[in-house]
Amino acid sequence: TTYDRDLYARQLEGLIERVAPRARLHLVGWSMGAMIAARFAADHPERVASVSLFSPSGLPIRMGLLGRAALLPVIGELGYQSIGGMAMRSAQAEFFEDADRLAAYRHDYDRQLVYAGYRAAMLSTLRSMNMDDFSEGYRALGRTALPVEVYWAVEDRATPFANRTRFQQLVPQATIVPLPDVGHASFYERPAQVDQRLIAHIRQHAG
């Protein structure tokens, strides 16, 4: 299986058709999930009431050693099967400013590593999603009239806060909400701070 944008788009569409086939949706996406949510919204604007994105991927990012090695044939497979889980777990430190919240997140994250195929799926995703170039997808979202709010951690080391300028150019109707003193996983690190704004955005466009 190739874990590319088409696959994730089909998975989201299938999920929605299963659980909410007639609902107008409030889509929320984080990091790579922002790309998937934005694509669905651009492809099906009549199904969407609002879009909320957290630290979206799809613009230039700083890729670590494991990420660069994963792009190499054979080396990527060997690396992910041997140290991939440990390296992915270590990379989570880039997502947080609060060490206590990092520990809790890792406890939840570790549950995924036990499933057969998880490392292979992550490797395929890294190779196939083109995480630093989703400009056309965001531009398509920008051509809709959908309300878009983006919550971007000022201290984000995974999807830099500086990318907000390019995002705003691609999605002119977007409201960018800076989140101080949090990292990439802002909604996990400071849920009370983030949830109030997110719920307000959804309520504003409900109905």
Side-chain angles (χ1 to χ4, degrees):
T1 301
T2 300
Y3 286 76
D4 58 12
R5 295 172 182 176
D6 290 339
L7 174 68
Y8 285 110
R10 291 195 303 270
Q11 287 183 332
L12 179 57
E13 289 174 8
L15 175 64
I16 289 169
E17 287 307 308
R18 180 72 174 177
V19 302
R22 290 178 294 276
R24 290 188 73 230
L25 307 164
H26 298 277
L27 294 177
V28 182
W30 171 50
S31 197
M32 186 189 83
M35 299 163 59
I36 301 166
R39 173 166 169 170
F40 182 93
D43 289 347
H44 308 282
E46 74 286 353
R47 297 290 315 278
V48 177
S50 71
V51 180
S52 304
L53 306 177
F54 288 84
S55 294
S57 295
L59 298 170
I61 59 175
R62 178 177 60 83
M63 187 174 290
L65 178 61
L66 181 66
R68 295 194 300 272
L71 303 178
L72 302 174
V74 181
I75 293 176
E77 281 78 4
L78 291 173
Y80 259 72
Q81 288 304 317
S82 59
I83 64 169
M86 180 175 62
M88 286 186 289
R89 189 176 188 275
S90 177
Q92 308 309 316
E94 293 286 300
F95 290 4
F96 286 84
E97 294 297 301
D98 185 333
D100 291 336
R101 295 303 296 160
L102 169 61
Y105 178 86
R106 277 180 170 164
H107 179 267
D108 292 337
Y109 181 84
D110 286 349
R111 299 176 185 177
Q112 304 171 94
L113 298 178
V114 304
Y115 291 102
Y118 180 79
R119 290 174 178 81
M122 286 297 298
L123 178 59
S124 179
T125 297
L126 191 59
R127 287 176 167 174
S128 305
M129 280 294 288
N130 197 2
M131 298 286 194
D132 64 352
D133 189 9
F134 191 63
S135 296
E136 287 306 312
Y138 289 135
R139 187 175 285 112
L141 177 62
R143 288 194 290 265
T144 73
L146 295 173
V148 179
E149 191 155 273
V150 183
Y151 312 94
W152 217 312
V154 176
E155 307 300 331
D156 200 321
R157 296 190 293 274
T159 55
F161 184 60
N163 283 350
R164 73 193 187 284
T165 302
R166 178 59 176 157
F167 188 95
Q168 189 79 77
Q169 293 170 348
L170 296 168
V171 190
Q173 76 270 32
T175 299
I176 309 293
V177 181
L179 300 176
D181 304 320
V182 292
H184 187 61
S186 55
F187 60 93
Y188 199 102
E189 192 167 9
R190 295 285 187 275
Q193 172 187 350
V194 172
D195 289 356
Q196 289 183 355
R197 184 67 190 247
L198 173 62
I199 292 170
H201 177 64
I202 291 173
R203 284 178 173 167
Q204 180 182 354
H205 301 287

